[in-house]
Amino acid sequence: MSKIDLKKEFKPFYSASRKEVEFVDVPAMNFLMIDGQGDPGRATAYEQAVEALYSVAYTIKFAIKKGGAAIDYVVPPLQGLWWADDMSDFVTGKRDNWRWTMMIMQPEWVTASVVAAGIETASRKKELPSLPLLRFADFREGAAAQLLHIGPYADEGPTIERLHTSIADHGLELRGRHHEIYLSDPRRSDPARLKTILRQPVGNPQ
């Protein structure tokens, strides 16, 4: 049984250049999602959300591999949408006020009933406080600009500035929420080598 790597199937949306800003049109995809608020480095809610997402994602993966479909695939990377009610809190780094949606993309053969079964199975295996917050929904980002950041998350500022400058230079405006795709596992990677795609939805000026 060959293993499907969804990062390769959707390569334009799971790879990015470090040198040049790329513009993409991101189609609708299905995700496991959990919303929350707080400093991702300190908030228990953030840790619990990520744990619940991965637990259900892997439960679904193994159920599909062992079930009638007999499909094996690599669980896609964690992603996050980031914003604040007062965007000055986001810009100035008042992280306790940050809001986020953490999410993991699901392949097309994962249905709502499969997710419901995965949640039920995961709940029996381990106590996951954020599990009741988990939802399965589609998300279509549409037109967006993206750039690869290499290094600690705290050092993303200059990369974000480059991204926003390029968007303005192309006569476009920011819309939607700042989006990050985590290609590296921070538990196993040197912070200096962490790879993160920074994506910003864009639109024409009103």
Side-chain angles (χ1 to χ4, degrees):
M1 181 189 302
S2 59
K3 182 177 290 189
I4 299 170
D5 189 341
L6 296 164
K7 294 194 303 298
K8 295 179 180 178
E9 297 279 328
F10 295 92
K11 187 175 181 179
F13 315 117
Y14 286 93
S15 63
S17 170
R18 186 182 185 184
K19 296 180 180 179
E20 297 182 2
V21 173
E22 300 172 337
F23 289 85
V24 293
D25 188 3
V26 187
M29 301 181 191
N30 292 328
F31 288 85
L32 303 176
M33 296 179 167
I34 295 180
D35 302 321
Q37 178 177 350
D39 184 341
R42 298 189 297 114
T44 301
Y46 179 84
E47 295 179 2
Q48 291 175 342
V50 172
E51 182 182 25
L53 286 170
Y54 273 119
S55 295
V56 173
Y58 275 98
T59 298
I60 291 171
K61 164 193 162 66
F62 292 127
I64 289 178
K65 181 179 179 180
K66 296 177 181 178
I71 300 173
D72 192 13
Y73 61 93
V74 179
V75 171
L78 182 71
Q79 306 185 38
L81 305 177
W82 298 89
W83 74 102
D85 292 337
D86 180 346
M87 285 306 292
S88 65
D89 290 339
F90 190 72
V91 174
T92 59
K94 293 182 180 178
R95 296 159 68 97
D96 288 341
N97 294 336
W98 286 7
R99 293 186 179 273
W100 38 261
T101 298
M102 304 313 297
M103 54 195 200
I104 298 177
M105 191 266 278
Q106 297 298 288
E108 60 182 3
W109 53 83
V110 173
T111 63
S113 60
V114 170
V115 172
I119 291 173
E120 173 63 25
T121 300
S123 69
R124 294 198 305 266
K125 292 182 177 179
K126 186 177 183 180
E127 183 178 354
L128 298 165
S130 289
L131 204 54
L133 303 176
L134 190 149
R135 70 184 191 277
F136 180 55
D138 69 312
F139 175 65
R140 187 188 189 284
E141 201 156 27
Q146 61 187 28
L147 189 62
L148 180 67
H149 171 75
I150 299 181
Y153 304 132
D155 294 345
E156 290 177 356
T159 307
I160 294 174
E161 184 177 357
R162 285 179 56 206
L163 182 63
H164 290 183
T165 297
S166 180
I167 291 170
D169 289 345
H170 281 79
L172 299 169
E173 292 183 342
L174 310 185
R175 67 166 181 82
R177 292 166 178 169
H178 175 75
H179 188 170
E180 300 189 353
I181 302 170
Y182 307 104
L183 302 179
S184 305
D185 185 342
R187 299 168 301 177
R188 300 171 181 164
S189 301
D190 180 342
R193 299 192 178 191
L194 290 172
K195 294 182 178 180
T196 308
I197 296 175
L198 305 183
R199 181 182 293 161
Q200 175 60 53
V202 299
N204 294 314
Q206 298 297 318

